[in-house]
Amino acid sequence: MAICGYKCSLCMFVISLWGVIQLLIMGVLFYAEAPALLEDLPEEPASKTEEFMTIVHRGYRDNAFNCFIASCLYLVTLGVSGWQFYLNQKTTYQV
């Protein structure tokens, strides 16, 4: 049962693959607490240095888990689009 066409499923497959790779890399970088991603953390006021560091560590961890969750969702989309691509490729060769 094909839901979308050949070109649409191929486009969704490529975009999903790109999303999985990008979000996995970003998740690993957030988990490693890369300084370049400090600007992407939520801003919360802190009165002490220890409190600020706790907020920063929690922000990095939360963003890393959010990236991993989004990557899993893109993985589901990758599977569906690959399945659709396979179905459409199979039907184009029938005579």
Side-chain angles (χ1 to χ4, degrees):
M1 178 177 92
I3 298 172
C4 57
Y6 181 76
K7 293 177 185 176
C8 180
S9 61
L10 181 62
C11 180
M12 285 182 5
F13 184 82
V14 170
I15 290 174
S16 298
L17 184 64
W18 176 26
V20 167
I21 293 169
Q22 180 180 355
L23 287 169
L24 279 177
I25 291 171
M26 285 182 63
V28 167
L29 289 175
F30 271 120
Y31 196 76
E33 297 183 3
L37 299 174
L38 185 64
E39 294 178 353
D40 295 324
L41 299 178
E43 295 181 14
E44 295 180 26
S47 59
K48 297 181 183 177
T49 306
E50 295 85 18
E51 184 181 346
F52 174 73
M53 291 306 293
T54 304
I55 291 171
V56 168
H57 291 304
R58 187 173 4 123
Y60 271 119
R61 188 191 66 223
D62 290 346
N63 281 1
F65 289 146
N66 287 341
C67 285
F68 292 142
I69 290 169
S71 179
C72 289
L73 293 174
Y74 266 107
L75 197 61
V76 170
T77 307
L78 179 72
V80 170
S81 60
W83 171 57
Q84 288 296 306
F85 181 73
Y86 174 74
L87 286 179
N88 283 315
Q89 189 178 19
K90 190 175 173 182
T91 58
T92 56
Y93 291 127
Q94 290 180 352
V95 177

Coordinates of all heavy atoms in Angstrom, one line a residue:
M1 N 0.8 -1.2 0.0 CA 0.0 0.0 0.0 C 0.9 1.2 0.0 O 1.5 1.6 1.0 CB -0.9 0.0 1.2 CG -1.8 1.2 1.3 SD -2.9 1.2 2.7 CE -1.9 2.0 3.9
A2 N 1.0 1.9 -1.1 CA 1.8 3.1 -1.3 C 1.0 4.3 -0.8 O -0.1 4.5 -1.2 CB 2.3 3.2 -2.7
I3 N 1.6 5.0 0.1 CA 1.0 6.3 0.6 C 1.4 7.5 -0.2 O 0.6 8.4 -0.4 CB 1.3 6.4 2.1 CG1 0.8 5.2 2.9 CG2 0.8 7.7 2.7 CD1 1.2 5.2 4.4
C4 N 2.7 7.5 -0.5 CA 3.2 8.7 -1.3 C 4.0 8.1 -2.5 O 4.3 6.9 -2.6 CB 4.1 9.5 -0.4 SG 5.5 8.7 0.3
G5 N 4.3 9.0 -3.4 CA 5.0 8.6 -4.6 C 6.4 8.3 -4.5 O 7.1 8.5 -3.4
Y6 N 7.0 8.0 -5.6 CA 8.4 7.6 -5.7 C 9.4 8.8 -5.3 O 10.3 8.6 -4.5 CB 8.7 7.1 -7.1 CG 10.1 6.7 -7.4 CD1 10.6 5.5 -6.9 CD2 11.1 7.5 -8.1 CE1 11.9 5.0 -7.1 CE2 12.3 7.1 -8.3 CZ 12.8 5.9 -7.8 OH 14.0 5.5 -8.0
K7 N 9.1 9.9 -5.9 CA 10.0 11.1 -5.6 C 9.8 11.6 -4.2 O 10.8 12.0 -3.6 CB 9.7 12.2 -6.7 CG 10.2 11.8 -8.1 CD 9.8 12.9 -9.0 CE 10.1 12.5 -10.5 NZ 9.7 13.5 -11.4
C8 N 8.6 11.6 -3.7 CA 8.3 12.1 -2.4 C 9.0 11.2 -1.4 O 9.6 11.7 -0.4 CB 6.8 12.2 -2.2 SG 6.3 12.8 -0.5
S9 N 8.8 9.9 -1.6 CA 9.5 9.0 -0.6 C 11.0 9.1 -0.6 O 11.6 9.0 0.4 CB 9.0 7.6 -0.9 OG 9.4 7.1 -2.2
L10 N 11.6 9.3 -1.8 CA 13.0 9.5 -1.9 C 13.4 10.8 -1.2 O 14.4 10.8 -0.5 CB 13.4 9.5 -3.4 CG 14.9 9.6 -3.6 CD1 15.7 8.5 -3.0 CD2 15.2 9.8 -5.1
C11 N 12.7 11.8 -1.4 CA 13.0 13.1 -0.7 C 12.9 13.0 0.8 O 13.8 13.4 1.5 CB 12.1 14.2 -1.3 SG 12.4 15.8 -0.5
M12 N 11.8 12.3 1.3 CA 11.7 12.1 2.7 C 12.8 11.2 3.3 O 13.3 11.4 4.4 CB 10.3 11.5 3.0 CG 9.2 12.4 2.9 SD 7.5 11.8 3.3 CE 7.7 10.2 3.8
F13 N 13.2 10.3 2.5 CA 14.3 9.4 2.9 C 15.6 10.2 3.1 O 16.3 10.0 4.1 CB 14.5 8.2 1.9 CG 15.5 7.2 2.3 CD1 15.2 6.2 3.2 CD2 16.8 7.3 1.8 CE1 16.1 5.3 3.5 CE2 17.7 6.3 2.2 CZ 17.4 5.3 3.0
V14 N 15.9 11.0 2.1 CA 17.2 11.8 2.2 C 17.1 12.8 3.4 O 18.1 12.9 4.1 CB 17.5 12.5 0.9 CG1 18.6 13.5 1.0 CG2 17.7 11.4 -0.2
I15 N 16.0 13.5 3.5 CA 15.9 14.5 4.6 C 15.9 13.8 5.9 O 16.5 14.3 6.9 CB 14.6 15.3 4.4 CG1 14.8 16.2 3.2 CG2 14.3 16.1 5.6 CD1 13.5 17.0 2.8
S16 N 15.3 12.6 6.1 CA 15.3 11.9 7.3 C 16.7 11.4 7.7 O 17.1 11.5 8.8 CB 14.3 10.7 7.3 OG 13.0 11.1 7.1
L17 N 17.4 10.9 6.7 CA 18.8 10.5 6.9 C 19.6 11.6 7.4 O 20.4 11.5 8.3 CB 19.3 9.8 5.6 CG 20.7 9.2 5.7 CD1 20.7 8.1 6.7 CD2 21.2 8.8 4.4
W18 N 19.5 12.8 6.8 CA 20.2 14.0 7.1 C 19.9 14.4 8.6 O 20.7 14.7 9.4 CB 19.9 15.1 6.1 CG 20.5 16.4 6.4 CD1 21.7 16.7 7.2 CD2 20.0 17.7 6.0 NE1 21.9 18.0 7.2 CE2 20.9 18.7 6.5 CE3 18.9 18.1 5.3 CZ2 20.7 20.0 6.3 CZ3 18.7 19.4 5.1 CH2 19.6 20.4 5.6
G19 N 18.6 14.3 8.9 CA 18.1 14.7 10.2 C 18.7 13.8 11.3 O 19.1 14.2 12.4
V20 N 18.7 12.5 11.0 CA 19.2 11.5 12.0 C 20.7 11.8 12.3 O 21.1 11.9 13.4 CB 19.0 10.0 11.5 CG1 19.8 9.1 12.3 CG2 17.6 9.7 11.5
I21 N 21.5 12.0 11.2 CA 22.9 12.2 11.4 C 23.2 13.5 12.1 O 24.0 13.5 13.0 CB 23.6 12.2 10.0 CG1 23.5 10.8 9.4 CG2 25.0 12.7 10.1 CD1 24.0 10.7 7.9
Q22 N 22.5 14.6 11.7 CA 22.7 15.9 12.3 C 22.3 15.9 13.8 O 23.1 16.4 14.6 CB 22.0 16.9 11.5 CG 22.2 18.3 12.1 CD 21.4 19.4 11.4 OE1 20.7 19.1 10.4 NE2 21.4 20.6 11.9
L23 N 21.2 15.3 14.1 CA 20.8 15.3 15.5 C 21.6 14.4 16.4 O 21.8 14.7 17.6 CB 19.3 15.0 15.6 CG 18.4 16.1 15.1 CD1 16.9 15.6 14.9 CD2 18.4 17.3 16.0
L24 N 22.1 13.3 15.8 CA 23.0 12.5 16.6 C 24.3 13.2 16.9 O 24.8 13.1 18.1 CB 23.3 11.2 15.9 CG 22.2 10.1 16.0 CD1 22.6 8.9 15.1 CD2 22.0 9.7 17.4
I25 N 24.8 13.9 15.9 CA 26.1 14.6 16.2 C 25.8 15.7 17.2 O 26.6 15.9 18.1 CB 26.6 15.2 14.8 CG1 27.1 14.1 13.9 CG2 27.7 16.2 15.1 CD1 27.5 14.5 12.6
M26 N 24.7 16.5 17.0 CA 24.4 17.5 18.0 C 24.2 17.0 19.4 O 24.6 17.6 20.4 CB 23.2 18.3 17.5 CG 23.5 19.3 16.4 SD 22.1 20.2 15.9 CE 21.8 21.2 17.3
G27 N 23.5 15.8 19.5 CA 23.3 15.2 20.8 C 24.6 14.8 21.5 O 24.7 15.0 22.7
V28 N 25.5 14.3 20.7 CA 26.8 13.9 21.3 C 27.6 15.1 21.7 O 28.2 15.2 22.8 CB 27.6 13.1 20.2 CG1 29.1 12.9 20.7 CG2 27.0 11.7 20.0
L29 N 27.5 16.2 20.9 CA 28.2 17.4 21.3 C 27.6 18.1 22.5 O 28.3 18.6 23.4 CB 28.2 18.4 20.1 CG 29.1 18.0 18.9 CD1 29.0 19.0 17.8 CD2 30.6 17.9 19.4
F30 N 26.2 18.1 22.6 CA 25.6 18.6 23.8 C 26.0 17.7 25.0 O 26.2 18.2 26.1 CB 24.1 18.6 23.7 CG 23.6 19.9 23.1 CD1 22.9 19.9 21.9 CD2 23.8 21.1 23.7 CE1 22.4 21.1 21.4 CE2 23.3 22.3 23.2 CZ 22.6 22.3 22.0
Y31 N 26.0 16.4 24.8 CA 26.3 15.5 25.9 C 27.8 15.7 26.4 O 28.1 15.6 27.6 CB 26.1 14.1 25.5 CG 26.0 13.1 26.7 CD1 24.9 13.0 27.5 CD2 27.1 12.3 27.0 CE1 24.8 12.2 28.6 CE2 27.1 11.4 28.1 CZ 25.9 11.4 28.8 OH 25.9 10.5 29.9
A32 N 28.7 16.1 25.5 CA 30.1 16.3 25.8 C 30.3 17.8 26.3 O 31.4 18.1 26.6 CB 30.9 16.1 24.6
E33 N 29.2 18.5 26.3 CA 29.2 19.9 26.8 C 30.2 20.8 26.0 O 31.0 21.4 26.5 CB 29.5 20.0 28.3 CG 28.4 19.3 29.1 CD 28.6 19.4 30.6 OE1 29.6 20.1 31.0 OE2 27.8 18.9 31.3
A34 N 30.0 20.8 24.7 CA 30.8 21.6 23.8 C 30.6 23.1 24.0 O 29.4 23.5 24.1 CB 30.5 21.2 22.3
P35 N 31.6 23.9 24.2 CA 31.4 25.3 24.5 C 30.8 26.1 23.4 O 30.1 27.1 23.6 CB 32.9 25.8 24.7 CG 33.7 24.6 24.8 CD 33.0 23.4 24.3
A36 N 30.9 25.6 22.1 CA 30.3 26.3 21.0 C 28.8 26.3 21.1 O 28.1 27.1 20.5 CB 30.7 25.6 19.7
L37 N 28.2 25.3 21.8 CA 26.7 25.2 21.9 C 26.2 25.9 23.1 O 25.0 25.7 23.5 CB 26.3 23.7 21.9 CG 26.7 23.0 20.6 CD1 26.4 21.5 20.7 CD2 26.0 23.6 19.4
L38 N 27.0 26.7 23.9 CA 26.5 27.3 25.1 C 25.4 28.3 24.8 O 24.5 28.4 25.6 CB 27.7 28.0 25.8 CG 27.5 28.7 27.1 CD1 27.1 27.6 28.1 CD2 28.7 29.5 27.6
E39 N 25.4 28.9 23.7 CA 24.4 29.9 23.3 C 23.0 29.3 23.1 O 22.0 30.0 23.2 CB 24.8 30.7 22.1 CG 26.0 31.6 22.3 CD 26.4 32.3 21.0 OE1 25.8 32.0 20.0 OE2 27.3 33.1 21.1
D40 N 23.0 28.0 22.9 CA 21.7 27.3 22.6 C 21.1 26.8 23.9 O 20.0 26.1 23.8 CB 22.0 26.1 21.7 CG 22.4 26.6 20.3 OD1 21.9 27.6 19.9 OD2 23.2 25.9 19.7
L41 N 21.6 27.0 25.0 CA 21.1 26.6 26.3 C 20.0 27.6 26.8 O 20.1 28.8 26.5 CB 22.1 26.5 27.4 CG 23.2 25.5 27.1 CD1 24.3 25.5 28.2 CD2 22.7 24.1 26.9
P42 N 19.0 27.1 27.5 CA 18.0 28.0 28.0 C 18.6 29.0 29.1 O 19.4 28.5 29.9 CB 16.9 27.1 28.6 CG 17.6 25.8 28.8 CD 18.7 25.7 27.8
E43 N 18.2 30.2 29.1 CA 18.7 31.2 30.0 C 17.9 31.2 31.3 O 16.7 31.4 31.3 CB 18.7 32.6 29.4 CG 19.6 32.7 28.2 CD 19.6 34.1 27.6 OE1 19.1 35.0 28.3 OE2 20.1 34.2 26.5
E44 N 18.5 30.9 32.4 CA 17.9 30.9 33.7 C 18.8 31.8 34.6 O 20.0 31.6 34.6 CB 17.7 29.5 34.3 CG 16.8 28.6 33.5 CD 16.7 27.2 34.1 OE1 16.9 27.1 35.3 OE2 16.4 26.3 33.3
P45 N 18.2 32.6 35.4 CA 19.0 33.4 36.3 C 19.6 32.6 37.5 O 19.0 31.6 37.9 CB 18.0 34.5 36.9 CG 16.7 33.8 36.8 CD 16.7 32.9 35.5
A46 N 20.8 32.9 37.9 CA 21.5 32.2 38.9 C 22.2 33.2 39.8 O 22.8 34.2 39.3 CB 22.5 31.2 38.4
S47 N 22.2 33.0 41.1 CA 22.8 33.9 42.0 C 24.2 33.5 42.4 O 25.1 34.4 42.7 CB 21.9 34.1 43.3 OG 21.8 32.8 43.9
K48 N 24.5 32.2 42.4 CA 25.8 31.8 42.7 C 26.5 31.0 41.6 O 25.8 30.6 40.7 CB 25.7 30.8 43.9 CG 25.2 31.4 45.2 CD 25.2 30.4 46.3 CE 24.6 31.0 47.5 NZ 24.5 30.0 48.6
T49 N 27.8 30.9 41.6 CA 28.5 30.2 40.6 C 28.2 28.7 40.5 O 28.0 28.2 39.4 CB 30.0 30.4 40.8 OG1 30.4 31.7 40.9 CG2 30.8 29.8 39.6
E50 N 28.0 28.1 41.7 CA 27.7 26.7 41.7 C 26.3 26.4 41.1 O 26.1 25.5 40.4 CB 27.7 26.1 43.2 CG 29.1 26.2 43.8 CD 29.4 27.5 44.4 OE1 28.5 28.3 44.7 OE2 30.6 27.7 44.6
E51 N 25.4 27.3 41.4 CA 24.0 27.2 40.9 C 24.0 27.4 39.4 O 23.3 26.7 38.7 CB 23.1 28.3 41.6 CG 21.7 28.2 41.2 CD 20.8 29.3 41.8 OE1 21.3 29.9 42.8 OE2 19.7 29.5 41.4
F52 N 24.8 28.4 38.9 CA 25.0 28.6 37.5 C 25.5 27.4 36.8 O 25.0 26.9 35.7 CB 25.8 29.8 37.2 CG 26.1 30.0 35.7 CD1 25.1 30.5 34.9 CD2 27.4 29.7 35.2 CE1 25.4 30.7 33.5 CE2 27.6 29.9 33.9 CZ 26.6 30.4 33.0
M53 N 26.5 26.8 37.3 CA 27.1 25.6 36.7 C 26.2 24.4 36.7 O 26.1 23.6 35.8 CB 28.4 25.2 37.5 CG 29.6 26.2 37.3 SD 29.9 26.5 35.6 CE 30.6 24.9 35.1
T54 N 25.3 24.3 37.8 CA 24.3 23.2 37.8 C 23.3 23.4 36.7 O 22.9 22.5 36.0 CB 23.6 23.2 39.2 OG1 24.6 23.0 40.2 CG2 22.6 22.1 39.3
I55 N 22.9 24.7 36.5 CA 21.9 25.0 35.5 C 22.5 24.7 34.1 O 21.8 24.2 33.2 CB 21.5 26.5 35.6 CG1 20.6 26.7 36.9 CG2 20.7 26.9 34.4 CD1 20.3 28.1 37.2
V56 N 23.8 25.1 33.9 CA 24.4 24.8 32.6 C 24.5 23.3 32.3 O 24.2 22.8 31.2 CB 25.8 25.5 32.5 CG1 26.6 25.0 31.3 CG2 25.7 27.0 32.5
H57 N 25.0 22.5 33.3 CA 25.1 21.1 33.1 C 23.7 20.5 32.8 O 23.6 19.6 32.0 CB 25.7 20.4 34.4 CG 27.1 20.7 34.6 ND1 28.1 20.5 33.6 CD2 27.8 21.3 35.6 CE1 29.3 20.9 34.1 NE2 29.1 21.4 35.3
R58 N 22.7 20.9 33.5 CA 21.3 20.4 33.3 C 20.8 20.8 31.9 O 20.2 20.0 31.2 CB 20.4 20.9 34.4 CG 19.0 20.3 34.3 CD 18.1 20.7 35.4 NE 18.6 21.7 36.4 CZ 18.1 22.8 36.6 NH1 16.9 23.2 36.1 NH2 18.6 23.7 37.5
G59 N 21.2 22.0 31.5 CA 20.8 22.5 30.1 C 21.4 21.7 29.0 O 20.8 21.3 28.1
Y60 N 22.7 21.4 29.2 CA 23.4 20.5 28.2 C 22.8 19.1 28.2 O 22.5 18.6 27.1 CB 24.9 20.4 28.6 CG 25.8 21.5 28.0 CD1 26.5 22.3 28.8 CD2 25.9 21.6 26.6 CE1 27.3 23.3 28.3 CE2 26.7 22.6 26.1 CZ 27.4 23.4 26.9 OH 28.2 24.4 26.4
R61 N 22.5 18.6 29.3 CA 22.0 17.2 29.4 C 20.6 17.2 28.8 O 20.3 16.3 28.0 CB 21.9 16.7 30.8 CG 21.5 15.3 31.0 CD 21.2 14.9 32.4 NE 20.0 15.6 32.8 CZ 19.9 16.2 34.0 NH1 20.8 16.2 34.9 NH2 18.8 16.8 34.3
D62 N 19.7 18.2 29.1 CA 18.4 18.2 28.6 C 18.4 18.4 27.1 O 17.6 17.7 26.3 CB 17.6 19.3 29.2 CG 17.3 19.0 30.7 OD1 17.4 17.9 31.1 OD2 16.8 20.0 31.4
N63 N 19.2 19.2 26.6 CA 19.3 19.4 25.1 C 19.8 18.2 24.4 O 19.4 17.8 23.3 CB 20.2 20.6 24.8 CG 19.5 21.9 24.9 OD1 18.3 22.0 25.3 ND2 20.1 23.0 24.7
A64 N 20.8 17.5 25.0 CA 21.3 16.2 24.4 C 20.2 15.2 24.3 O 20.0 14.6 23.3 CB 22.5 15.7 25.3
F65 N 19.4 15.0 25.4 CA 18.3 14.1 25.4 C 17.3 14.5 24.4 O 16.7 13.6 23.7 CB 17.7 13.9 26.8 CG 18.7 13.1 27.7 CD1 18.7 13.4 29.0 CD2 19.5 12.1 27.2 CE1 19.5 12.8 29.9 CE2 20.4 11.5 28.1 CZ 20.4 11.8 29.4
N66 N 17.0 15.8 24.2 CA 16.0 16.2 23.2 C 16.5 15.9 21.8 O 15.7 15.5 21.0 CB 15.8 17.7 23.4 CG 14.9 18.0 24.6 OD1 14.2 17.2 25.2 ND2 15.0 19.3 25.1
C67 N 17.8 16.1 21.6 CA 18.3 15.7 20.3 C 18.2 14.2 20.0 O 17.9 13.8 18.9 CB 19.8 16.2 20.2 SG 20.0 18.0 19.9
F68 N 18.5 13.4 21.0 CA 18.4 12.0 20.8 C 17.0 11.5 20.6 O 16.7 10.7 19.7 CB 19.0 11.2 22.0 CG 20.5 11.4 22.2 CD1 21.0 11.5 23.4 CD2 21.3 11.4 21.1 CE1 22.4 11.7 23.6 CE2 22.7 11.6 21.2 CZ 23.2 11.7 22.5
I69 N 16.0 12.2 21.2 CA 14.6 11.8 21.0 C 14.2 12.2 19.6 O 13.5 11.5 18.9 CB 13.7 12.5 22.1 CG1 14.0 11.8 23.5 CG2 12.3 12.4 21.7 CD1 13.4 12.6 24.6
A70 N 14.6 13.4 19.2 CA 14.2 13.9 17.8 C 14.9 13.0 16.8 O 14.3 12.7 15.7 CB 14.6 15.3 17.7
S71 N 16.1 12.5 17.1 CA 16.8 11.6 16.1 C 16.0 10.3 16.0 O 15.9 9.8 14.9 CB 18.2 11.4 16.6 OG 18.9 10.5 15.8
C72 N 15.5 9.8 17.1 CA 14.7 8.6 17.0 C 13.4 8.8 16.2 O 13.0 7.9 15.5 CB 14.3 8.1 18.5 SG 15.7 7.5 19.4
L73 N 12.8 10.0 16.4 CA 11.6 10.3 15.5 C 12.0 10.4 14.1 O 11.2 9.9 13.2 CB 11.0 11.6 16.0 CG 10.3 11.5 17.4 CD1 9.8 12.9 17.8 CD2 9.2 10.5 17.5
Y74 N 13.1 10.9 13.7 CA 13.6 11.0 12.4 C 13.9 9.6 11.9 O 13.7 9.2 10.7 CB 14.8 11.9 12.2 CG 14.5 13.3 11.8 CD1 14.6 14.3 12.7 CD2 14.1 13.6 10.5 CE1 14.3 15.6 12.3 CE2 13.8 14.9 10.1 CZ 13.9 15.9 11.0 OH 13.6 17.2 10.7
L75 N 14.3 8.7 12.8 CA 14.6 7.3 12.4 C 13.3 6.6 12.0 O 13.3 5.8 11.0 CB 15.3 6.6 13.5 CG 16.0 5.3 13.3 CD1 17.1 5.5 12.3 CD2 16.6 4.7 14.5
V76 N 12.2 6.9 12.7 CA 10.9 6.3 12.3 C 10.5 6.8 10.9 O 10.1 6.0 10.1 CB 9.9 6.6 13.4 CG1 8.5 6.3 12.9 CG2 10.2 5.9 14.7
T77 N 10.7 8.1 10.7 CA 10.3 8.7 9.4 C 11.2 8.1 8.3 O 10.8 7.8 7.2 CB 10.5 10.2 9.4 OG1 9.8 10.7 10.5 CG2 10.1 10.8 8.2
L78 N 12.5 7.8 8.6 CA 13.4 7.2 7.7 C 12.9 5.8 7.3 O 12.9 5.4 6.2 CB 14.8 7.1 8.3 CG 15.9 6.5 7.4 CD1 16.2 7.4 6.3 CD2 17.1 6.2 8.3
G79 N 12.4 5.0 8.3 CA 11.9 3.7 8.1 C 10.7 3.7 7.2 O 10.6 2.9 6.3
V80 N 9.8 4.6 7.5 CA 8.5 4.7 6.7 C 8.8 5.1 5.3 O 8.3 4.6 4.3 CB 7.5 5.7 7.4 CG1 6.3 6.0 6.5 CG2 7.0 5.1 8.7
S81 N 9.7 6.1 5.1 CA 10.0 6.6 3.8 C 10.8 5.5 3.0 O 10.6 5.4 1.8 CB 10.7 7.9 3.8 OG 11.9 7.8 4.5
G82 N 11.7 4.8 3.7 CA 12.4 3.7 3.0 C 11.4 2.6 2.6 O 11.5 2.0 1.5
W83 N 10.4 2.3 3.4 CA 9.4 1.3 3.1 C 8.6 1.8 1.9 O 8.3 1.0 0.9 CB 8.5 1.1 4.3 CG 7.3 0.3 4.1 CD1 7.2 -1.0 3.6 CD2 6.0 0.7 4.3 NE1 5.9 -1.4 3.5 CE2 5.1 -0.4 4.0 CE3 5.4 1.9 4.9 CZ2 3.7 -0.3 4.1 CZ3 4.0 1.9 5.0 CH2 3.2 0.9 4.6
Q84 N 8.2 3.1 1.8 CA 7.5 3.6 0.7 C 8.3 3.6 -0.5 O 7.8 3.3 -1.6 CB 7.0 5.0 1.0 CG 5.9 5.1 2.1 CD 4.6 4.4 1.6 OE1 4.1 4.7 0.5 NE2 4.1 3.4 2.3
F85 N 9.6 4.0 -0.4 CA 10.4 3.9 -1.6 C 10.6 2.5 -2.2 O 10.5 2.3 -3.4 CB 11.8 4.5 -1.2 CG 12.8 4.5 -2.3 CD1 12.7 5.5 -3.3 CD2 13.8 3.6 -2.4 CE1 13.6 5.5 -4.4 CE2 14.7 3.6 -3.4 CZ 14.6 4.6 -4.4
Y86 N 10.7 1.5 -1.3 CA 10.7 0.1 -1.7 C 9.5 -0.3 -2.4 O 9.5 -0.9 -3.5 CB 11.0 -0.8 -0.5 CG 11.0 -2.2 -0.9 CD1 12.0 -2.8 -1.6 CD2 9.9 -3.0 -0.5 CE1 11.9 -4.2 -1.9 CE2 9.8 -4.4 -0.8 CZ 10.8 -4.9 -1.5 OH 10.8 -6.3 -1.8
L87 N 8.3 0.1 -1.9 CA 7.0 -0.3 -2.5 C 6.9 0.4 -3.9 O 6.4 -0.2 -4.8 CB 5.9 0.1 -1.6 CG 5.6 -0.7 -0.4 CD1 4.4 -0.2 0.4 CD2 5.4 -2.1 -0.7
N88 N 7.2 1.7 -4.0 CA 7.1 2.4 -5.2 C 8.1 1.9 -6.3 O 7.8 1.8 -7.4 CB 7.3 3.9 -5.0 CG 6.1 4.5 -4.4 OD1 5.0 4.3 -4.9 ND2 6.3 5.4 -3.4
Q89 N 9.3 1.5 -5.8 CA 10.3 0.9 -6.8 C 9.8 -0.4 -7.3 O 10.0 -0.7 -8.4 CB 11.6 0.8 -6.0 CG 12.8 0.5 -6.9 CD 14.1 0.4 -6.2 OE1 14.1 0.3 -5.0 NE2 15.2 0.5 -6.9
K90 N 9.2 -1.2 -6.4 CA 8.7 -2.5 -6.8 C 7.6 -2.4 -7.8 O 7.5 -3.2 -8.7 CB 8.2 -3.2 -5.5 CG 7.9 -4.6 -5.6 CD 7.6 -5.2 -4.3 CE 7.1 -6.6 -4.4 NZ 6.7 -7.1 -3.0
T91 N 6.7 -1.4 -7.6 CA 5.6 -1.3 -8.6 C 5.9 -0.7 -9.9 O 5.2 -0.8 -10.9 CB 4.4 -0.4 -7.9 OG1 4.9 0.8 -7.6 CG2 3.9 -1.1 -6.7
T92 N 7.1 0.1 -10.0 CA 7.4 0.7 -11.3 C 8.0 -0.3 -12.2 O 8.0 -0.1 -13.4 CB 8.5 1.8 -11.0 OG1 9.6 1.3 -10.3 CG2 7.9 3.0 -10.3
Y93 N 8.5 -1.5 -11.8 CA 9.1 -2.5 -12.6 C 8.1 -3.5 -13.1 O 8.4 -4.3 -13.9 CB 10.3 -3.1 -12.0 CG 11.5 -2.2 -11.8 CD1 12.0 -2.1 -10.6 CD2 12.0 -1.5 -12.9 CE1 13.1 -1.3 -10.4 CE2 13.1 -0.7 -12.7 CZ 13.7 -0.6 -11.5 OH 14.7 0.2 -11.3
Q94 N 6.9 -3.5 -12.6 CA 5.9 -4.4 -13.1 C 5.4 -4.1 -14.4 O 5.1 -2.9 -14.8 CB 4.7 -4.5 -12.1 CG 5.1 -5.1 -10.8 CD 3.9 -5.2 -9.8 OE1 2.9 -4.6 -10.1 NE2 4.1 -5.9 -8.7
V95 N 5.2 -5.1 -15.3 CA 4.7 -4.8 -16.7 C 3.3 -5.3 -16.8 O 2.8 -6.2 -16.3 CB 5.6 -5.6 -17.7 CG1 5.0 -5.4 -19.1 CG2 7.0 -5.2 -17.6

